[in-house]
């Protein structure tokens, strides 16, 4: 998996956004075989390969000087996520590029030009990402798609933020909800995407897009230092 931040972050700034994307790319690289295996019974057997290609392109864009203000030391988290989203859309085949790219672009647009986003602003960005995915894919909870992981993750983040939880803890709650949401796709009959062509035979398979959402939200929690926050809380207990 990607690197875990040694410090708990109070806000999502450009550096944290880049760390988030690097962590997601590392997780996809590590799990690309698993993602492809998940896609084999219900799709084109290319989800892992395609998403890895796209996240590698995102890494290249982050490392490039002057990548829309997102690759260097300057920039805002919104610019970082927006640039990553555009890269995914332009480099990833199948449905995953447009869907994950739209999610990041919408999140970046929602963040606007704020230099550092607090929990409420990140919650709004994640809500915008979900709305973008729903609108593009025309899917809802229960259709056995990435929405089954993203929808509860966003709701969990929002609840935690409203209750005053620190940003890393809200992200960890979202990651946990995404994992549960991904698991919930196993008994479902797919109603969207290529898996829907299988009808009842799609039941019994974890949706690869939902699993990728879990990786994305886990990478966010790691980049924000959720483990560091938990360790600090344990020391104070």
């Amino acid at each position: 998996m990607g690197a875990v931040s040694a410090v708990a972050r109070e806000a999502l700034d450009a550096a944290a956004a880049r760390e988030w994307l690097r962590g997601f790319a590392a997780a996809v690289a590590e799990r690309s075989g698993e993602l492809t295996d998940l896609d084999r019974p219900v799709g084109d057997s290319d989800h892992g390969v395609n998403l890895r290609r796209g996240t590698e392109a995102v890494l290249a864009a982050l490392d490039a000087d002057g990548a829309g203000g997102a690759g260097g030391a300057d920039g805002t988290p919104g610019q970082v996520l927006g640039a990553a989203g555009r890269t995914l859309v332009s480099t990833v085949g199948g449905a995953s590029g447009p869907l994950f790219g739209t999610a990041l672009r919408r999140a970046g647009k929602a963040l606007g030009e704020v230099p550092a986003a607090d929990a409420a602003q990140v919650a709004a960005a994640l809500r915008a990402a979900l709305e973008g995915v729903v609108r593009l894919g025309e899917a809802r909870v229960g259709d056995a798609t990435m929405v089954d992981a993203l929808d509860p993750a966003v709701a969990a983040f929002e609840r935690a933020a409203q209750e005053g939880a620190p940003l890393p803890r809200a992200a960890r709650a979202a990651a946990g909800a995404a994992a549960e949401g991904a698991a919930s796709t196993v008994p479902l009959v797919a109603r969207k995407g290529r898996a829907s062509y299988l009808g009842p035979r799609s039941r019994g398979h974890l949706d690869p897009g939902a699993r990728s959402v879990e990786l994305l939200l886990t990478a966010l929690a790691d980049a924000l230092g959720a483990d560091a926050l938990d360790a600090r809380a344990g020391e104070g207990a």
Side-chain angles (χ1 to χ4, degrees):
M1 293 291 253
V4 177
S5 176
V7 297
R9 298 179 181 270
E10 297 181 356
L12 179 73
D13 58 12
R18 287 192 291 272
E19 189 172 344
W20 175 16
L21 295 171
R22 292 185 189 282
F24 179 49
V28 169
E30 180 180 337
R31 304 285 189 179
S32 61
E34 173 194 338
L35 296 175
T36 293
D37 287 343
L38 290 174
D39 194 38
R40 186 167 290 115
V42 294
D44 293 325
S45 303
D46 60 358
H47 180 76
V49 173
N50 283 342
L51 198 56
R52 181 170 185 170
R53 181 185 303 116
T55 53
E56 287 175 347
V58 168
L59 290 181
L62 290 174
D63 291 336
D65 292 334
D74 298 328
T76 67
Q79 289 174 328
V80 172
L81 297 181
R86 291 190 294 274
T87 299
L88 284 177
V89 170
S90 64
T91 59
V92 181
S96 56
L99 289 169
F100 280 89
T102 293
L104 292 178
R105 289 175 64 184
R106 289 295 188 93
K109 184 176 181 179
L111 290 175
E113 298 301 317
V114 297
D118 61 20
Q121 290 167 320
V122 174
L126 292 176
R127 174 60 61 180
L130 172 62
E131 290 173 351
V133 168
V134 169
R135 183 168 185 173
L136 179 62
E138 299 182 337
R140 60 183 180 181
V141 171
D143 286 344
T145 71
M146 65 185 288
V147 172
D148 287 285
L150 188 56
D151 184 279
V154 173
F157 192 105
E158 289 173 335
R159 282 195 301 271
Q162 290 166 1
E163 292 169 0
L167 182 59
R169 194 151 290 148
R172 183 63 80 209
E180 293 178 3
S184 77
T185 64
V186 174
L188 298 175
V189 174
R191 292 196 291 260
K192 292 292 180 180
R194 188 172 181 83
S196 65
Y197 301 159
L198 299 176
R201 288 181 296 139
S202 65
R203 183 183 282 116
H205 300 286
L206 193 151
D207 180 71
R211 174 67 168 132
S212 296
V213 168
E214 178 188 347
L215 298 181
L216 179 66
L217 272 297
T218 299
L220 175 60
D222 289 344
L224 292 173
D227 286 351
L229 183 64
D230 290 342
R232 194 169 69 193
E235 291 171 358

